[in-house]
Amino acid sequence: MTIDINTVHKISRLARIKIPETEVESLKGDLNRILGWIEQLSEVNTDNVQPLYNISLENMPRREDQINDGNYSNAILANAPEAEFGMFVVPKVVE
Amino acid sequence: MTKLTELTLCEARDGLVNKQFSAQELTQAHIEKIEETRALNAYITETPDIALKMAQASDEKLAKKEELRPLEGLPIGIKDLFCTKDIRTTAASKILDDYKPQYESTVTQNLWDAGAVLLGKLNLDEFAMGSSNLTSAYGPVISPWKIEGNDRQFVPGGSSGGSVAAVAAGSALATTGTDTGGSIRQPAAFAGIVGLKPTYGRCSRYGIVAFASSLDQAGPLTKDVRDAALMLKIMASHDPKDATSATIPVPDFEKLLSGNISKLKIGIPKEYRVEGLNPEIDALWAQGIEWLKSAGAEIQEISLPHTKYALPTYYILAPAEASSNLARYDGVRFGLRVPGQTLDELYELTRAEGFGKEVKRRIMIGTYVLSAGYYDAYYLKAQKIRRLIQQDFEEAFKKVDVILTPTTPTAAFAIGEEPKDPVTMYMNDVLTVPANLAGIPGLSVPASFTKEGLPLGLQILGPAFEEGRILNVGYVLEQAAQFKEKALKLRTST
């Protein structure tokens, strides 16, 4: 599978990273180089193999379903680039 | 008396208890060393005032001889990926510049509770993505190692580049690192120090800036194996705040350093004789086998058949997890914000401005392999191969107790001479990545030098939660290699 310019634009939009037009071509090259190298995985037979998502999943302890922290909106907002009235501020989303 | 900055962590601990010097003297000596070695760019944020205050509190405790804590008064550095309350934490990214966490990571809290003193926050590859420390938004770290009669500056490796440079230069007694694909072990080998990646789940990930959550693990970087044992004992804990943190008890690793490996079975995986393995490293590997054999261990060739697929598997899984973890940097909740007309534009401009080239590349790869239509072909396929790699190790550990390999395929490269092709750069981690995929512990011990005089390391891998065993094998290697003694003769320090 090769990535074309349109795909680079599509991924950049999905990733919410603006890529300047001047960088699209070199990024396309890098991505194709990496994906081309990854392609070798297709030679491994993985029929009937269970995917492994995380080593620890089998022994994960559970806790009681109860609230054990909270009430610190000041701490949550402390690093916000813009906050008002105890809320994050963003550009208007609804016209 | 040896200079205070040349002591190991354990020697400094004993010196404090025996009143040979105070915690404040010890800390002051390290603060001065940080100033002297600033050109290495190991620290992003220095915290001398906090350090002296913590050292003073330790001196008061030491004077009263009350409840002496295991790391009382010992000055250490923290990779700038661990959140430290009210102290700037950058992950070496512009997007987190001036971020002041409102909480403390569990690993660092464990260290402060044990009496350790914070010298500052250490440089790294941006978001721990790199093997050279060249991707940091705060500039590269320079290795304290040089070739005699040669001006070239070398990379310390990465991502924990500041952490290893500080230990090697003596500007911290020990440091913390994180290892997602080799970020503790590879730089430890480049810098001629000890680096331990514990079993996945041994140390809590709470408060560590996330890169690839199923692979990330914190561990110590130290001057010797005994120090690594002491640090890990404190860093490790079960933590209800991290669902993947292990409930298995943490042993006193230092007590497990018996130096006895008689009849221990050492596996030598034939697939680790990878293409591009430096002949000097191959020779060191053979030497390591001889050292362990003369200590009474039994050597056995083993096979880990899926080894060659580990690195490409990693470069699907790690970027996939990273693309998801790094979605939080949106210019709204913390960090950098670049204004936009719409919310989407604000996101896109902020992330374009805030992330460096390598981070963007990995987010893009991760986004692609998780996108509709490609998930099964890439992501799911990689998870299945991850299972095969883990099973390779499971089978191997039915036959042998530990596995011995080189840590890296080459020695450190000079700044400006690094590979320009991303895939060639990724090859640095070819020998370390499999342990992350399998979740098993790995230790890098400095063991020799290239003929030019750059350090080389050997890696010991063990079954899950057998850090004590690999530390003991590392202890034997350390004694056989006499690395420090040889380094003393070689080293041109900065």
Side-chain angles (χ1 to χ4, degrees):
Chain A
M1 279 169 264
T2 332
I3 291 187
D4 56 18
I5 294 282
N6 285 338
T7 313
V8 176
H9 285 299
K10 187 183 153 208
I11 308 169
S12 114
R13 202 174 44 77
L14 285 173
R16 298 289 188 274
I17 299 175
K18 183 135 192 106
I19 308 288
E21 278 310 315
T22 50
E23 288 173 26
V24 171
E25 200 55 47
S26 88
L27 186 62
K28 188 188 89 169
D30 284 350
L31 297 182
N32 278 321
R33 169 85 178 99
I34 297 166
L35 290 167
W37 167 71
I38 283 170
E39 208 59 50
Q40 59 178 297
L41 295 181
S42 58
E43 70 194 51
V44 184
N45 181 349
T46 51
D47 297 347
N48 305 315
V49 178
Q50 286 301 308
L52 174 61
Y53 295 105
N54 190 306
I55 300 291
S56 289
L57 288 183
E58 279 110 54
N59 319 310
M60 264 206 218
R62 294 183 180 194
R63 63 167 175 82
E64 289 298 304
D65 183 15
Q66 54 192 203
I67 297 167
N68 54 17
D69 71 355
N71 289 321
Y72 40 63
S73 55
N74 284 344
I76 290 170
L77 293 170
N79 280 288
E82 205 181 337
E84 257 182 75
F85 313 115
M87 285 175 268
F88 295 109
V89 177
V90 295
K92 193 160 71 172
V93 222
V94 183
E95 289 302 324
Chain B
M1 196 174 75
T2 321
K3 278 210 270 180
L4 295 179
T5 53
E6 284 169 11
L7 297 172
T8 66
L9 189 70
C10 289
E11 286 166 355
R13 169 189 63 184
D14 299 344
L16 281 175
V17 173
N18 299 331
K19 305 250 181 297
Q20 289 167 274
F21 42 82
S22 69
Q24 287 168 88
E25 284 162 355
L26 184 64
T27 300
Q28 186 59 40
H30 282 87
I31 292 171
E32 284 164 18
K33 194 74 180 175
I34 291 173
E35 290 166 2
E36 250 172 67
T37 57
R38 245 179 221 150
L40 300 179
N41 201 24
Y43 284 83
I44 290 177
T45 305
E46 298 171 12
T47 58
D49 298 342
I50 293 170
L52 287 170
K53 227 177 259 171
M54 291 171 98
Q56 191 185 350
S58 283
D59 277 335
E60 281 160 21
K61 278 197 193 292
L62 284 157
K64 287 184 209 146
K65 286 228 166 199
E66 65 177 22
E67 47 151 346
L68 275 192
R69 299 173 295 175
L71 298 178
E72 194 70 69
L74 298 174
I76 61 170
I78 300 295
K79 186 176 185 179
D80 206 14
L81 201 63
F82 292 80
C83 286
T84 42
K85 193 172 189 300
D86 299 325
I87 299 167
R88 183 168 84 134
T89 300
T90 68
S93 181
K94 243 164 88 178
I95 214 161
L96 271 179
D97 191 34
D98 221 27
Y99 169 63
K100 290 204 178 69
Q102 300 297 300
Y103 61 99
E104 188 77 26
S105 85
T106 297
V107 164
T108 48
Q109 190 62 55
N110 288 346
L111 290 164
W112 315 142
D113 289 347
V117 167
L118 170 66
L119 289 167
K121 306 291 295 289
L122 294 154
N123 206 343
L124 63 149
D125 279 297
E126 185 180 3
F127 284 107
M129 297 180 192
S131 314
S132 61
N133 217 115
L134 294 169
T135 73
S136 167
Y138 297 84
V141 173
I142 294 156
S143 171
W145 290 88
K146 280 188 174 158
I147 294 177
E148 218 184 316
N150 190 317
D151 285 340
R152 286 189 302 166
Q153 293 179 324
F154 288 85
V155 300
S159 66
S160 310
S163 300
V164 301
V167 172
S171 64
L173 282 173
T175 58
T176 63
T178 58
D179 190 316
T180 305
S183 282
I184 287 176
R185 291 160 289 157
Q186 183 257 17
F190 278 12
I193 64 166
V194 171
L196 172 60
K197 181 201 95 73
T199 310
Y200 182 81
R202 186 59 108 173
C203 295
S204 168
R205 288 182 297 107
Y206 178 78
I208 299 174
V209 175
F211 163 13
S213 306
S214 83
L215 303 162
D216 296 344
Q217 182 58 207
L221 290 144
T222 55
K223 294 179 182 173
D224 68 11
V225 171
R226 183 174 296 281
D227 286 0
L230 174 60
M231 280 288 280
L232 180 62
K233 166 91 175 100
I234 308 302
M235 290 170 70
S237 64
H238 170 63
D239 181 8
K241 290 177 190 153
D242 172 4
T244 59
S245 113
T247 49
I248 290 178
V250 180
D252 187 342
F253 298 107
E254 215 183 326
K255 288 212 174 100
L256 299 174
L257 302 179
S258 66
N260 179 5
I261 57 161
S262 171
K263 303 268 180 263
L264 202 74
K265 292 196 189 74
I266 316 282
I268 308 299
K270 56 178 187 209
E271 292 83 0
Y272 276 57
R273 219 165 288 277
V274 292
E275 208 183 308
L277 188 68
N278 174 324
E280 288 177 295
I281 292 181
D282 205 14
L284 169 61
W285 195 7
Q287 175 67 71
I289 293 170
E290 283 311 310
W291 283 330
L292 296 181
K293 215 192 266 179
S294 17
E298 293 167 10
I299 309 295
Q300 199 175 320
E301 185 174 86
I302 56 163
S303 174
L304 298 164
H306 297 90
T307 298
K308 73 175 266 210
Y309 303 110
L311 201 58
T313 298
Y314 174 85
Y315 275 97
I316 292 177
L317 299 180
E321 294 187 26
S323 72
S324 168
N325 272 326
L326 273 61
R328 74 190 67 178
Y329 305 103
D330 56 4
V332 174
R333 286 166 292 173
F334 36 67
L336 180 79
R337 162 180 265 182
V338 177
Q341 291 300 313
T342 64
L343 186 56
D344 268 333
E345 195 185 42
L346 179 149
Y347 293 153
E348 289 180 353
L349 295 176
T350 298
R351 290 161 65 81
E353 170 82 22
F355 291 135
K357 199 173 173 190
E358 180 62 22
V359 171
K360 281 182 197 166
R361 201 151 48 199
R362 295 204 197 185
I363 292 175
M364 296 280 284
I365 288 281
T367 304
Y368 180 68
V369 300
L370 290 175
S371 66
Y374 298 104
Y375 180 92
D376 283 6
Y378 287 113
Y379 187 67
L380 192 63
K381 180 84 182 175
Q383 296 289 19
K384 289 179 176 178
I385 298 174
R386 182 177 186 184
R387 171 80 63 189
L388 295 173
I389 290 163
Q390 187 220 13
Q391 287 172 347
D392 280 357
F393 280 107
E394 258 177 26
E395 287 305 309
F397 286 127
K398 284 178 189 162
K399 298 183 197 119
V400 296
D401 300 306
V402 301
I403 294 171
L404 179 75
T405 80
T407 310
T408 57
T410 64
F413 40 90
I415 295 176
E417 295 172 22
E418 69 276 7
K420 298 293 180 247
D421 166 51
V423 174
T424 312
M425 184 63 116
Y426 297 166
M427 295 310 282
N428 266 292
D429 294 329
V430 67
L431 304 174
T432 46
V433 150
N436 298 81
L437 293 171
I440 59 172
L443 174 73
S444 179
V445 178
S448 184
F449 301 88
T450 62
K451 58 179 183 306
E452 294 181 306
L454 293 174
L456 299 172
L458 286 171
Q459 174 178 238
I460 305 142
L461 303 172
F465 301 105
E466 292 292 351
E467 290 90 350
R469 189 189 296 166
I470 61 173
L471 281 163
N472 192 35
V473 175
Y475 185 59
V476 171
L477 275 182
E478 185 176 64
Q479 287 171 332
Q482 297 284 303
F483 179 89
K484 266 196 202 174
E485 292 73 5
K486 289 176 192 159
L488 265 183
K489 288 188 203 154
L490 258 171
R491 181 137 154 220
T492 344
S493 92
T494 41

